[in-house]
Amino acid sequence: MARAPFELAGTRVTAGSRTQIDVPVARLYTHAPLYIPVEVVHGRQSGPVLLVCGGIHGDEINGVEIVRRLLRSKQLQGLRGTLIAVPIVNVFGFVQHSRYLPDRRDLNRCFPGSESGSLGGRVAALFRDQIVDHATHIIDLHTGAIHRTNLPQIRAQLTPGGETERMANAFGAPVILNAELREGSLRHYAQNRGIPVLTYEAGEALRFDQWAITPGVRGVLRVMRRLGMLTGEHRRRPVPAAEVANGSSWARAPIDGILRPKVRLGARVARGELLGRVADPFGNAEGEVRSVADGIVIGMSRLPLANEGEALFHIARFDAIEEAESAIEDFHSSLEPPPDPLY
């Protein structure tokens, strides 16, 4: 018996086929329409419905490239279940190179949204109703904010033995943050509906970081295999070890000035260790940035200019820091070609 078609935004996708769908979202001032681009790959056999989306923040473009490469993967042949791939959710921000919507709202704080609310609320409501509510599992792709970069990491609310934890372990990022849900985020909305969801954070806004993109594609494919969506023989890579962080803290600028960092992304640091110095242009005033905990640098500023109190280095804390350091070193050595000198 043939599998039933998959319906999304008024379009029927037959089993064993793939279809690109433009979901109407709004119009520009010029009356030109804007669409959320979606591609649905509907397998011949039943299985999970996985949503993989990028660009909820419009300037976070690593996820756009991850989705593009995912859709070109030959491993999707013989897919079981359904893949909903959305490279760009916040099309307004994407065309303006901006994290935000035109009304300066953060779309990832607008869920579940409202059809009669603000622009952010309306976009969130449309994305939720037309796309998110069809999914059984979600992978949400992000990067650091503008002028900040993140070590590849998974953020998720973990329940021991739960589906989200299994997905997180399968992904293969070197660090997993057991992160609380933020109200208004896609993760908060989906998790409260019982939909397991991972947030993949890696790289910097408005940049293509190959050391973030390649592991992102591999990670999504690993999760799909873990969910039983991909079958058949292929050249298997062992899943890299991952360590769960039990918390994180930011080291902040002690004064206004220009930052000279002393550590790199992924470095192991000790509480009180010197991470960098901030000085005025003449060097008359200088302040030291020191680690607030023993841990690993999982995020840092890429902009040397800093205001007092600005977050500069993101330090994740681990119960087994040696294992975390080893996991990051293994991840580093698995990258081909060698990563950016920052890492």
Side-chain angles (χ1 to χ4, degrees), residues 251-272:
R252 299 180 179 274
I255 61 172
D256 304 303
I258 300 170
L259 171 68
R260 305 190 310 279
K262 299 297 182 183
V263 297
R264 292 184 176 185
L265 199 64
R268 177 180 175 178
V269 296
R271 182 180 180 87

Side-chain angles (χ1 to χ4, degrees), residues 10-337:
T11 300
R12 292 164 61 90
V13 184
T14 59
S17 69
R18 55 198 299 168
T19 301
Q20 292 184 359
I21 304 169
D22 291 329
V23 180
V25 62
R27 291 183 180 272
L28 298 174
Y29 303 126
T30 61
H31 201 62
L34 277 182
Y35 302 93
I36 296 177
V38 182
E39 182 160 336
V40 175
V41 185
H42 190 42
R44 295 185 182 279
Q45 300 183 56
S46 61
V49 179
L50 174 65
L51 167 62
V52 180
C53 59
I56 282 185
H57 294 133
D59 60 355
E60 298 183 1
I61 65 174
N62 279 329
V64 181
E65 178 65 4
I66 290 172
V67 172
R68 186 191 73 84
R69 294 189 191 182
L70 173 67
L71 289 171
R72 292 171 61 87
S73 173
K74 294 180 180 180
Q75 295 188 46
L76 296 186
Q77 297 174 2
L79 175 76
R80 292 181 176 177
T82 304
L83 171 65
I84 306 174
V86 185
I88 308 158
V89 179
N90 181 2
V91 289
F92 283 101
F94 186 77
V95 298
Q96 294 294 328
H97 306 174
S98 172
R99 176 184 180 90
Y100 302 107
L101 291 159
D103 59 2
R104 296 297 297 171
R105 281 183 167 84
D106 183 337
L107 181 56
N108 208 30
R109 297 294 180 269
C110 293
F111 287 92
S114 169
E115 295 177 356
S116 59
S118 66
L119 175 62
R122 291 170 190 243
V123 174
L126 180 140
F127 184 60
R128 174 252 303 163
D129 180 63
Q130 296 292 322
I131 298 171
V132 174
D133 287 350
H134 293 271
T136 61
H137 301 73
I138 298 175
I139 300 176
D140 186 20
L141 306 170
H142 286 262
T143 75
I146 189 74
H147 303 313
R148 289 185 184 173
T149 188
N150 281 334
L151 182 79
Q153 60 196 259
I154 287 294
R155 298 183 185 180
Q157 187 179 55
L158 304 179
T159 301
E163 185 75 339
T164 302
E165 183 181 63
R166 288 190 286 268
M167 290 171 63
N169 288 331
F171 195 99
V175 171
I176 301 172
L177 279 180
N178 189 2
E180 294 296 324
L181 300 174
R182 290 194 175 185
E183 188 171 355
S185 67
L186 172 62
R187 192 162 64 90
H188 182 270
Y189 170 74
Q191 201 79 38
N192 285 342
R193 283 180 57 85
I195 303 173
V197 54
L198 303 181
T199 297
Y200 175 62
E201 288 269 3
E204 182 182 356
L206 295 177
R207 297 287 184 272
F208 270 0
D209 300 299
Q210 297 303 326
W211 52 265
I213 293 168
T214 300
V217 178
R218 293 175 183 170
V220 173
L221 291 170
R222 289 191 192 102
V223 172
M224 294 179 72
R225 192 163 293 280
R226 166 63 185 79
L227 295 176
M229 299 179 71
L230 301 178
T231 58
E233 295 297 324
H234 75 295
R235 186 167 62 93
R236 291 179 178 269
R237 284 188 169 92
V239 178
E243 290 297 322
V244 178
N246 55 28
S248 66
S249 305
W250 281 93
R252 299 180 179 274
I255 61 172
D256 304 303
I258 300 170
L259 171 68
R260 305 190 310 279
K262 299 297 182 183
V263 297
R264 292 184 176 185
L265 199 64
R268 177 180 175 178
V269 296
R271 182 180 180 87
E273 181 176 337
L274 181 67
L275 305 179
R277 291 186 172 92
V278 179
D280 67 37
F282 298 103
N284 295 328
E286 182 172 282
E288 296 180 338
V289 186
R290 294 192 174 273
S291 179
V292 294
D294 297 333
I296 301 289
V297 179
I298 62 167
M300 60 185 292
S301 174
R302 288 275 266 169
L303 182 67
L305 311 180
N307 292 309
E308 183 176 352
E310 188 170 343
L312 300 179
F313 299 91
H314 194 192
I315 312 298
R317 302 185 299 273
F318 299 86
D319 290 330
I321 192 168
E322 289 81 9
E323 285 80 355
E325 183 179 32
S326 176
I328 291 168
E329 289 175 354
D330 291 345
F331 174 83
H332 183 152
S333 63
S334 72
L335 295 176
E336 304 170 4

